[in-house]
């Protein structure tokens, strides 16, 4: 926002505003001329797609909030009223409920893309960390949003997740009582979850802003994982990537619309169309699909760890599960320091490439296990998958950074791209 | 910040003629001001934050629903009822002799959360007479808060003739003690007392 470099705008109104508040200069610099690697593939669409979903969720959410009532005796009914009586209410609700799934889907692809191409590495560590913070905020927001319709899964999901905090030694139960505002999940819980579900998306907007600001400092990574060296390696963001993002977004929205209009309940749980009953636990509590891998990790810890030769429990299975689940997120945060390989992109890392795809399979297996009953053989499979999840970060990444023989990197993006053609 | 004071306190090697008015003294006073201002501000912020944090704890109306009275005269041997106390289900079971015997035959060393059956029903007395056939406990799994099955004869009772939690497979025995699965503790016993041989007040 320096004064000297401002270019004049032809439109006098725009120019008048820009002289006083250089928003147009900023947009021109950060989104118009912004030099971007020329070799993005379609996986680079998912940042923009995620942003679109965030806006969609906030827009539909605000209108839903105008019709929704956060009280235990009326919440379920108010959601049914939205579905039946409110003009276009069914559309708003289906867009919002399935939008959460689409948002997570886009964000997970975005994260896996970052992992594959080494986007978390220097100098983008903080950018990556803010991305994981966004993921955690999304999980909290998604979870609290799922409680609002006050169905059976809402209620029991809320009960199970808030009880995770009771695993904390000594003060655990007081923390749970404080969190839910009573001795069981009830009206105070529903009220505060609504307040927080409305608040957190705006916190996400703020962190997304920082995420994008940091991106514009380091510049984007690219499929080759090498930094642009000259003007030949980059193209302006507009019109090249605005149009590419728009195309990717259109395909994504078609997919979103197919779900909303033709299978709006396919990702939901039928039990959530039964009003919450605090006296009866459903036979099988499952979180939404996007939380399943973490739920599987939570349940994988079934042992009590004792102080040797005594019966004093050092770490019970409940606390152990909670620590593992937190650890699963912490692994992502630590990834820039666990992987010391100087080569970013998996394109030039033959062993990392295999490890990455195995990791994706492990995440899918965990997701599948998270949806199963806590019984054999699922418990054992879940435990193996959890062990593999952690060994990817704590064993494979450090070992590969030391012993992997990477392929030679091209001297520049332009050279690699033009040679291919 | 008088110069004479500065000169007095200056040691032989710390005073330089080319430096105007040594900062030591003024700096120290400024540090003190900054620290006290921060301390007062911090205490102020914390005291404003406390009402916000505390407002999330159970309100007076929630706390007021503290006790429940139940008539047990219609609950036959081998039957259970579930009542609500502070928004939570309370399991009241009229146990059979077999169940009591099973619960008392277990060695304490075999238990994850060792507690004798006698201890668990010690509040079940009226007029000095033990009523240990009445097991009263909070029907909330100590793992993650689900409600275990086993109150009805048709529901699963687990391997120990007690309760079975469908969420993560915890199994409780006929004394409500954790025997198998991820739950760390026995089902909690609420405070209660018999106000009559067949009437009970919970809370």
């Amino acid at each position: 926002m320096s004064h000297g470099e401002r270019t004049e705008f032809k439109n006098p109104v725009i120019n008048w505003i820009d002289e006083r508040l250089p928003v147009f200069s900023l947009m021109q610099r950060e989104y118009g001329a912004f030099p971007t690697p020329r070799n993005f593939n379609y996986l680079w669409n998912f940042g923009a797609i995620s942003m679109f979903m965030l806006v969609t969720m906030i827009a539909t959410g605000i209108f839903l909030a105008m019709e929704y009532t956060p009280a235990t005796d009326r919440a379920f009914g108010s959601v049914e009223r939205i579905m039946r009586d409110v003009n276009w209410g069914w559309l708003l609700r289906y867009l919002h409920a399935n939008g959460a799934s689409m948002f997570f889907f886009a964000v997970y692809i975005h994260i896996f893309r970052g992992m594959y191409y080494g986007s978390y590495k220097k100098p983008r560590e903080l950018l990556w960390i803010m991305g994981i913070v966004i993921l955690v905020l999304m999980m909290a927001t998604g979870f609290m949003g799922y409680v609002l319709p006050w169905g059976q899964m809402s209620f029991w999901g809320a009960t199970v997740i808030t009880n995770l905090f009771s695993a904390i030694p000594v003060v655990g139960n007081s923390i749970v009582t404080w969190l839910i505002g009573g001795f069981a999940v009830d009206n105070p819980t529903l009220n505060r979850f609504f307040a927080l579900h409305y608040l957190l998306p705006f916190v996400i907007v703020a962190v997304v802003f920082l995420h994008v600001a940091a991106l514009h400092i380091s510049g984007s990574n690219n499929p080759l994982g090498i930094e642009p060296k000259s003007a030949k390696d980059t193209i302006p963001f507009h019109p090249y990537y605005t149009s590419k993002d728009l195309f990717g977004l259109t395909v994504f929205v078609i997919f979103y619309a197919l779900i909303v209009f033709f299978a709006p309940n396919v990702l939901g749980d039928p039990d959530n169309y039964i009003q919450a009953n605090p006296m009866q636990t459903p036979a099988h509590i499952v979180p939404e699909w996007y939380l399943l891998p973490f739920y599987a990790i939570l349940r994988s810890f079934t042992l009590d760890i004792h102080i040797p030769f005594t019966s004093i429990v050092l770490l019970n299975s409940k606390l152990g599960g909670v620590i593992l689940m937190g650890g699963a997120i912490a692994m992502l945060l630590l990834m820039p320091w666990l992987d010391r390989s100087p080569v970013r992109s998996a394109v030039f890392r033959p062993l990392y490439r295999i490890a990455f795809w195995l990791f994706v399979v492990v995440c899918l297996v965990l997701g599948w296990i998270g949806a199963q009953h806590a019984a054999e053989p699922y418990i054992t499979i879940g435990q193996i998958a959890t062990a593999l999840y952690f060994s990817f970060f704590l064993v494979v990444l450090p070992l590969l950074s030391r012993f992997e023989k990477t392929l030679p990197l091209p001297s520049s993006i332009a050279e690699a791209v033009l040679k291919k053609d | 910040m008088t110069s004479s004071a500065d000169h007095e306190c200056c040691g032989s090697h710390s005073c330089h003629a080319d430096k105007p008015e040594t900062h030591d003294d003024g700096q120290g006073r400024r540090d003190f001001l900054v620290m006290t201002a921060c301390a007062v501000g911090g205490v102020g912020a914390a005291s404003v934050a406390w009402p916000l944090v505390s407002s999330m704890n159970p309100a007076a109306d929630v706390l007021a629903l503290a006790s429940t009275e139940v008539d047990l005269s219609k609950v036959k041997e081998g039957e259970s009822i579930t009542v609500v106390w502070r928004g939570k289900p309370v399991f009241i079971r009229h146990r059979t002799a077999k169940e009591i015997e099973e619960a008392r035959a277990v060695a304490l060393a075999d238990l994850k959360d060792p507690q004798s059956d006698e201890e668990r029903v010690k509040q079940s007395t009226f007029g000095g007479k033990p009523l240990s056939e009445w097991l009263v406990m909070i029907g909330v799994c100590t793992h993650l808060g689900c409600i275990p099955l086993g109150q009805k004869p048709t529901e699963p009772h687990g391997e120990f003739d007690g309760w079975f939690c469908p969420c993560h497979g915890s199994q409780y025995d006929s004394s409500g003690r954790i025997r198998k699965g991820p739950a760390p503790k026995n089902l909690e016993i609420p405070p209660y007392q018999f106000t009559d041989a067949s009437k009970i007040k919970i809370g």
Side-chain angles (χ1 to χ4, degrees):
Chain A
M1 276 180 228
S2 50
H3 298 282
E5 295 162 28
R6 245 199 85 248
T7 47
E8 294 283 305
F9 287 89
K10 281 201 188 102
N11 185 322
V13 179
I14 288 181
N15 208 45
W16 186 89
I17 295 171
D18 200 68
E19 276 170 355
R20 285 152 183 84
L21 182 69
V23 282
F24 295 101
S25 291
L26 181 101
M27 286 305 286
Q28 172 63 20
R29 189 172 69 243
E30 300 298 335
Y31 284 102
F34 192 64
T36 317
R38 64 190 288 174
N39 58 334
F40 281 180
N41 57 34
Y42 279 109
L43 290 171
W44 262 261
N45 283 156
F46 285 88
I49 290 173
S50 302
M51 195 106 83
F52 171 83
M53 285 316 303
L54 176 59
V55 173
T56 305
M57 293 304 282
I58 290 176
T60 51
I62 286 170
F63 287 95
L64 284 170
M66 293 178 191
E67 309 293 340
Y68 171 76
T69 313
T72 50
D73 54 341
R74 293 169 66 193
F76 188 85
S78 76
V79 173
E80 283 312 303
R81 183 180 158 271
I82 288 171
M83 292 302 288
R84 291 149 203 257
D85 295 344
V86 174
N87 296 334
W88 300 99
W90 61 272
L91 180 65
L92 288 172
R93 175 163 173 266
Y94 280 154
L95 281 173
H96 197 75
N98 290 292
S101 284
M102 297 305 284
F103 192 10
F104 271 97
F105 176 70
V107 162
Y108 280 141
I109 301 253
H110 189 62
I111 292 172
F112 279 126
R113 189 272 285 155
M115 289 176 77
Y116 188 81
Y117 294 108
S119 304
Y120 48 90
K121 291 190 187 185
K122 195 185 169 195
R124 299 186 181 83
E125 302 96 323
L126 208 50
L127 176 57
W128 169 262
I129 287 173
M130 280 185 290
I132 302 301
V133 169
I134 294 169
L135 174 67
V136 173
L137 287 170
M138 280 173 65
M139 289 162 100
T141 311
F143 157 68
M144 286 193 263
Y146 194 59
V147 174
L148 302 185
W150 208 244
Q152 272 289 67
M153 279 300 155
S154 302
F155 181 88
W156 290 100
T159 300
V160 168
I161 300 298
T162 52
N163 266 294
L164 290 179
F165 292 90
S166 72
I168 299 166
V170 189
V171 292
N173 283 324
S174 312
I175 288 180
V176 173
T177 304
W178 176 74
L179 275 177
I180 64 182
F183 305 103
V185 170
D186 208 333
N187 204 48
T189 323
L190 180 60
N191 255 299
R192 62 188 60 186
F193 276 19
F194 180 57
L196 293 173
H197 183 71
Y198 208 120
L199 167 73
L200 285 183
F202 297 97
V203 178
I204 294 177
V205 168
V207 185
V208 166
F209 180 81
L210 296 176
H211 185 70
V212 173
L215 173 74
H216 281 236
I217 298 294
S218 64
S220 296
N221 187 28
N222 63 79
L224 293 169
I226 54 175
E227 292 295 322
K229 293 189 180 82
S230 67
K232 277 206 304 192
D233 292 341
T234 62
I235 46 179
F237 189 83
H238 180 74
Y240 295 100
Y241 287 125
T242 42
S243 52
K244 186 163 183 158
D245 278 346
L246 209 53
F247 175 73
L249 180 62
T250 308
V251 174
F252 185 86
V253 168
I254 289 172
F255 184 53
Y256 180 19
L258 284 175
I259 292 180
V260 166
F261 292 110
F262 295 100
N265 288 308
V266 75
L267 296 167
D269 194 303
D271 271 9
N272 224 27
Y273 281 109
I274 302 168
Q275 190 165 358
N277 178 357
M279 292 298 123
Q280 193 185 3
T281 309
H284 186 200
I285 299 180
V286 250
E288 291 287 81
W289 71 267
Y290 42 80
L291 299 175
L292 286 173
F294 298 101
Y295 191 57
I297 290 173
L298 168 76
R299 294 195 303 180
S300 69
F301 203 101
T302 53
L303 279 176
D304 283 349
I305 297 174
H306 294 265
I307 295 173
F309 312 115
T310 67
S311 59
I312 301 166
V313 178
L314 205 57
L315 182 64
N316 67 41
S317 48
K318 184 157 88 173
L319 184 56
V322 173
I323 290 172
L324 272 192
M325 191 167 71
I329 300 278
M331 290 297 111
L332 290 167
L333 290 172
L334 291 175
M335 213 180 162
W337 294 276
L338 293 169
D339 180 2
R340 310 294 304 187
S341 173
V343 176
R344 288 199 191 110
S345 174
V347 172
F348 305 104
R349 301 185 63 191
L351 293 178
Y352 176 72
R353 192 156 62 211
I354 298 168
F356 170 84
W357 284 112
L358 289 176
F359 177 76
V360 173
V361 171
V362 165
C363 290
L364 293 175
V365 168
L366 282 170
W368 168 65
I369 290 295
Q372 307 304 318
H373 280 279
E376 291 298 350
Y378 307 118
I379 294 174
T380 310
I381 298 173
Q383 285 169 339
I384 294 170
T386 301
L388 290 173
Y389 179 96
F390 282 93
S391 50
F392 171 77
F393 292 100
L394 296 174
V395 180
V396 176
L397 287 184
L399 284 183
L400 283 188
S401 354
R402 286 189 66 180
F403 299 113
E404 187 179 27
K405 202 171 173 316
T406 55
L407 304 177
L409 293 173
S411 62
S412 76
I413 294 173
E415 187 217 64
V417 170
L418 297 175
K419 200 170 63 190
K420 212 190 288 176
D421 301 337
Chain B
M1 273 193 259
T2 56
S3 58
S4 65
D6 284 346
H7 283 292
E8 272 168 34
C9 70
C10 268
S12 56
H13 51 269
S14 65
C15 232
H16 296 288
D18 54 325
K19 279 202 173 174
E21 301 295 330
T22 172
H23 292 282
D24 293 356
D25 188 301
Q27 198 74 23
R29 253 184 274 175
R30 229 165 271 157
D31 284 347
F32 176 76
L33 281 174
V34 168
M35 281 188 287
T36 45
C38 284
V40 171
V43 170
S47 55
V48 173
W50 177 247
L52 303 180
V53 171
S54 179
S55 76
M56 286 175 70
N57 263 323
D61 63 329
V62 176
L63 291 171
L65 302 167
S67 71
T68 303
E69 281 192 62
V70 191
D71 180 8
L72 300 176
S73 56
K74 292 206 176 85
V75 185
K76 297 193 197 86
E77 188 176 304
E79 286 184 350
S80 305
I81 55 164
T82 307
V83 297
V84 182
W85 174 63
R86 301 207 305 198
K88 287 179 181 177
V90 172
F91 290 174
I92 305 176
R93 176 149 183 90
H94 192 164
R95 299 190 294 178
T96 62
K98 176 174 162 278
E99 285 167 6
I100 299 172
E101 202 180 310
E102 279 171 351
R104 300 197 166 175
V106 186
L108 283 189
D110 294 347
L111 298 170
K112 193 172 182 179
D113 179 13
Q115 203 180 15
S116 69
D117 185 62
E118 287 85 348
E119 210 179 317
R120 290 179 61 77
V121 294
K122 68 173 182 229
Q123 294 179 94
S124 296
T125 58
F126 183 70
K129 189 173 151 249
L131 299 165
S132 53
E133 66 271 28
W134 293 104
L135 178 64
V136 182
M137 52 194 189
I138 296 176
V140 173
C141 182
T142 56
H143 181 224
L144 292 174
C146 297
I147 297 182
L149 298 173
Q151 285 292 84
K152 292 179 190 152
T154 50
E155 289 175 349
H157 298 268
E159 292 165 31
F160 304 94
D161 214 7
W163 288 263
F164 171 77
C165 184
C167 293
H168 304 96
S170 291
Q171 305 199 13
Y172 297 91
D173 66 11
S174 55
S175 189
R177 294 171 298 197
I178 180 66
R179 299 294 291 274
K180 200 174 180 186
K185 295 267 177 212
N186 301 332
L187 290 177
E188 197 188 327
I189 306 287
Y192 65 88
Q193 63 183 53
F194 277 81
T195 52
D196 185 342
S198 63
K199 274 211 184 83
I200 176 179
K201 184 177 167 218
I202 306 166

